[in-house]
Amino acid sequence: MLCGNEGGSKVTVLLYLFVTIVLVYAGIKTIPPYMHYYAMDDEVGQQLQTSSINSDNVITDGILKKAQELELPVTKDDIKLVRKEDGSISVDIQWVEVADYGYGFKREFPFELSTNTKKLKE
């Protein structure tokens, strides 16, 4: 019989369980900002597909509506839409999301979305 090791496996299991719970919690707090980025990227792409028939205000309003749905700190001034002479359009958006992990620990996630369309065919 081994002396002093009777509770060792229980402590190891509890330690692994604690580490697993912390990692899952951190993932739950960290993944949503990245999902918001990809949702915004998709929305900008969809808005630019109709850019030949929609005005700049319609495109900007569509992007802003999606940002409000996702509760992102994006204003109309943060969306920079430029129509170039060759018919292409570029959209640049910057925002910072903050993940609150609790106990006063917060992390900022700065995002910069930049999309360009190709020259429209004549």
Side-chain angles (χ1 to χ4, degrees):
M1 192 166 171
L2 300 173
C3 295
N5 281 337
E6 287 130 8
S9 65
K10 289 180 185 178
V11 171
T12 303
V13 168
L14 289 176
L15 182 62
Y16 282 130
L17 182 63
F18 175 74
V19 169
T20 302
I21 290 171
V22 167
L23 290 175
V24 167
Y25 181 76
I28 288 171
K29 294 293 187 173
T30 303
I31 291 173
Y34 290 100
M35 292 179 67
H36 294 159
Y37 171 81
Y38 289 115
M40 284 297 292
D41 187 36
D42 186 46
E43 181 65 29
V44 170
Q46 288 178 7
Q47 290 294 327
L48 290 181
Q49 285 179 350
T50 61
S51 63
S52 62
I53 59 173
N54 288 334
S55 69
D56 293 353
N57 286 335
V58 172
I59 295 169
T60 304
D61 289 343
I63 294 169
L64 190 59
K65 182 179 176 186
K66 184 64 171 186
Q68 290 171 347
E69 285 176 16
L70 297 172
E71 298 178 358
L72 298 178
V74 175
T75 64
K76 201 166 194 167
D77 294 334
D78 296 328
I79 302 170
K80 295 178 180 37
L81 188 136
V82 177
R83 286 188 188 260
K84 299 178 184 173
E85 290 181 16
D86 65 358
S88 64
I89 300 175
S90 69
V91 176
D92 296 311
I93 308 169
Q94 293 181 350
W95 74 92
V96 176
E97 278 193 72
V98 179
D100 185 3
Y101 294 97
Y103 298 107
F105 181 69
K106 296 180 181 183
R107 176 152 186 251
E108 291 184 349
F109 293 93
F111 291 102
E112 183 174 339
L113 180 62
S114 182
T115 304
N116 296 309
T117 62
K118 295 179 181 177
K119 179 180 175 181
L120 297 175
K121 295 180 182 178
E122 297 177 12

